[in-house]
């Protein structure tokens, strides 16, 4: 590897850390402001199923969390899985995030239980769906190896798409995951066309 390639890799990693760190810092800033100033009332900007103003939550819900425990539980998987999505190409992160937010959010709005659905976990499950299915759609060694590795380490999260724990939006997990699979298929096709 030449020094020029090394510098490009370091620059790319710095960009990735800036993106992920900036978004995680935004999650924390929003929660601190919500707790200290709004006393939790920002959570009303989450997705509320089958209620037209609840559609705004498709954009806002990933930035809103029920409390700091909820936020802490989402921060590490967001950073780790988000970085793994970026591993082959940083731009993939933006595509997968947008598709997971849109598909996940619309799925929750159409089929979710009547409550405010908040948190970054829908997008996180989108990353999981993308990473697990990427190898199938791209059919190259790096993607297959990454899918298998993520499956081995994070495969147990898949149970989060099923109803179970009260107060947890399994619908957000399920539809976010589906959004991630759709993103994997879309990006694989897009990359094939660009070759």
């Amino acid at each position: 590897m030449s020094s020029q390639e090394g510098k490009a890799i370091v620059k790319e990693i710095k960009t990735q850390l800036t993106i992920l760190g900036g978004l995680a810092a935004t999650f924390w800033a929003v929660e601190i402001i919500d707790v200290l100033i709004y006393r939790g009332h920002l959570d009303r900007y989450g997705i509320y199923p089958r209620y037209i103003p609840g559609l705004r939550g498709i954009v806002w819900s990933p930035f809103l969390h029920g409390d700091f425990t909820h936020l802490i539980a989402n921060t590490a998987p967001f950073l780790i899985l988000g970085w793994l999505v970026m591993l082959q190409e940083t731009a993939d992160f933006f595509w997968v995030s947008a598709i997971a937010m849109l598909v996940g959010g619309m799925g929750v709005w159409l089929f979710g239980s009547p409550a405010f659905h908040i948190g970054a976990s829908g997008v996180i499950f989108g990353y999981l769906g993308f990473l697990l299915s990427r190898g199938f759609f791209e059919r190259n060694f790096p993607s297959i190896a990454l899918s298998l590795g993520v499956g081995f380490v994070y495969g147990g999260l898949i149970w989060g798409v099923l109803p179970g724990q009260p107060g947890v939006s399994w619908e957000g997990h399920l539809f976010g995951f589906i959004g991630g699979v759709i993103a994997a298929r879309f990006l694989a096709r897009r990359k094939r066309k660009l070759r």
Side-chain angles (χ1 to χ4, degrees):
M1 180 189 317
S2 70
S3 64
Q4 196 68 14
E5 290 171 328
K7 286 179 182 177
I9 290 170
V10 168
K11 183 180 178 187
E12 188 71 13
I13 291 171
K14 284 182 180 177
T15 299
Q16 293 169 349
L17 292 175
T18 301
I19 293 165
L20 288 168
L23 285 169
T26 302
F27 295 161
W28 279 86
V30 168
E31 187 60 22
I32 290 167
I33 290 167
D34 189 27
V35 168
L36 296 180
I37 298 172
Y38 293 101
R39 301 182 189 270
H41 291 300
L42 288 182
D43 295 349
R44 293 179 296 181
Y45 289 90
I47 300 167
Y48 199 91
R50 297 168 300 283
Y51 176 62
I52 297 297
L55 285 168
R56 65 187 172 202
I58 293 172
V59 172
W60 299 117
S61 64
F63 297 93
L64 303 170
H65 291 83
D67 53 31
F68 287 109
T69 302
H70 184 202
L71 178 55
I72 290 166
N74 279 342
T75 300
F78 172 80
L79 293 171
I80 294 166
L81 294 175
W83 183 71
L84 291 173
V85 168
M86 292 180 172
L87 201 54
Q88 290 183 16
E89 193 173 331
T90 303
D92 290 347
F93 175 80
F94 297 106
W95 281 107
V96 176
S97 298
I99 294 169
M101 281 175 64
L102 183 62
V103 172
M106 282 306 299
V108 168
W109 190 80
L110 290 169
F111 303 107
S113 57
F116 287 104
H117 295 254
I118 56 173
S121 58
V123 174
I124 292 165
F125 272 82
Y127 299 158
L128 181 65
F130 173 78
L131 292 165
L132 290 176
S133 60
R134 179 181 211 165
F136 175 79
F137 291 113
E138 291 190 12
R139 298 173 194 244
N140 60 48
F141 179 75
S143 296
I144 292 168
L146 186 59
S147 290
L148 292 173
V150 168
F152 179 74
V153 176
Y154 286 101
L157 286 178
I158 198 74
W159 299 110
V161 303
L162 300 174
Q165 191 175 351
V168 173
S169 177
W170 65 271
E171 301 99 330
H173 297 174
L174 173 63
F175 291 109
F177 186 89
I178 291 168
V181 173
I182 291 169
R185 185 169 188 258
F186 167 76
L187 288 173
R189 284 183 165 186
R190 185 171 178 269
K191 288 174 184 178
R192 277 195 292 273
K193 285 179 182 175
L194 293 175
R195 286 183 193 148

